[in-house]
Amino acid sequence: MDYFSESIKKAIRTVPDWPKPGVAFRDITTVLQDKTAFRKLIDAFVHRYHGHKIDAVAAVDARGFIIGSALAYELNASLVLVRKKGKLPFDTLVEDYELEYGTASVELHKDAFKPGDNVVLVDDLIATGGTMLAAARLIRRIGAEIVEVAAMIDLPDLGGSRKLQEEGLQVYTVCSFEGD
């Protein structure tokens, strides 16, 4: 793990037993409140994609918006919001995905991308991968190309990154919490 990754990982607060017993919640607000850690986080993404032809950054509701907006600005790319169902005002495509207990849906404006656009899909963390997989399917349905799926945190024990890779997606995370 490089210097940036290690310093960002150290800035993430772990809240034990929240929202339920046995869960170690990774709280990113401490990274956002630390101006040096936040700059390092955004710089890690910018350096990763600088020099690539990125047309758009697709950011997943809601914490992905934080990373996505700063990254889109720095890459001179458009910002596209992948929202929870019912939050977008125009014609949308919807994709359902499985949760531990039931299903949820994300949506995207039908005109969010042009076919062939190069897209980086971002969120704050990858857990089970359901939300990111649903978002990736929406982007692909429009005909855009996903350069990479990116997040600040990977929780590999939950299998999300593996599922994304099995769908043929490249995955990049700044840091991971394995077995923690």
Side-chain angles (χ1 to χ4, degrees):
M1 185 177 297
D2 66 20
Y3 167 73
F4 285 115
S5 297
E6 189 60 39
S7 64
I8 292 164
K9 184 174 181 175
K10 286 180 181 176
I12 297 166
R13 174 175 33 213
T14 299
V15 181
D17 298 319
W18 196 87
K20 61 183 186 177
V23 174
F25 184 80
R26 307 305 175 177
D27 180 9
I28 68 162
T29 62
T30 49
V31 174
L32 305 176
Q33 293 165 354
D34 179 329
K35 63 184 178 184
T36 302
F38 185 54
R39 177 169 294 281
K40 287 178 184 177
L41 172 68
I42 299 304
D43 285 351
F45 287 109
V46 170
H47 290 296
R48 176 125 182 126
Y49 302 111
H50 182 75
H52 290 78
K53 183 188 177 297
I54 305 297
D55 299 301
V57 175
V60 177
D61 198 344
R63 291 179 301 261
F65 297 171
I66 299 163
I67 298 166
S69 59
L71 181 59
Y73 174 81
E74 288 293 332
L75 296 177
N76 196 32
S78 66
L79 175 66
V80 174
L81 305 181
V82 179
R83 300 290 318 260
K84 295 172 183 148
K85 189 174 180 182
K87 299 291 184 181
L88 291 173
F90 191 64
D91 294 335
T92 62
L93 297 173
V94 178
E95 185 75 27
D96 298 328
Y97 62 98
E98 297 294 320
L99 296 170
E100 188 176 356
Y101 300 103
T103 61
S105 304
V106 290
E107 64 183 357
L108 186 62
H109 280 136
K110 288 181 179 179
D111 62 355
F113 306 105
K114 294 185 286 299
D117 275 354
N118 290 317
V119 178
V120 175
L121 174 59
V122 299
D123 203 354
D124 64 325
L125 66 84
I126 300 172
T128 63
T131 307
M132 293 288 254
L133 277 172
R137 289 180 183 134
L138 287 172
I139 293 165
R140 286 176 165 170
R141 281 169 55 193
I142 292 177
E145 302 294 326
I146 300 171
V147 174
E148 203 160 52
V149 174
M152 178 189 328
I153 302 168
D154 184 21
L155 302 175
D157 294 343
L158 299 180
S161 290
R162 180 185 40 76
K163 288 179 193 170
L164 291 163
Q165 291 165 343
E166 288 170 356
E167 290 282 323
L169 296 162
Q170 294 290 114
V171 177
Y172 169 72
T173 57
V174 176
C175 60
S176 67
F177 290 87
E178 194 165 4
D180 295 346

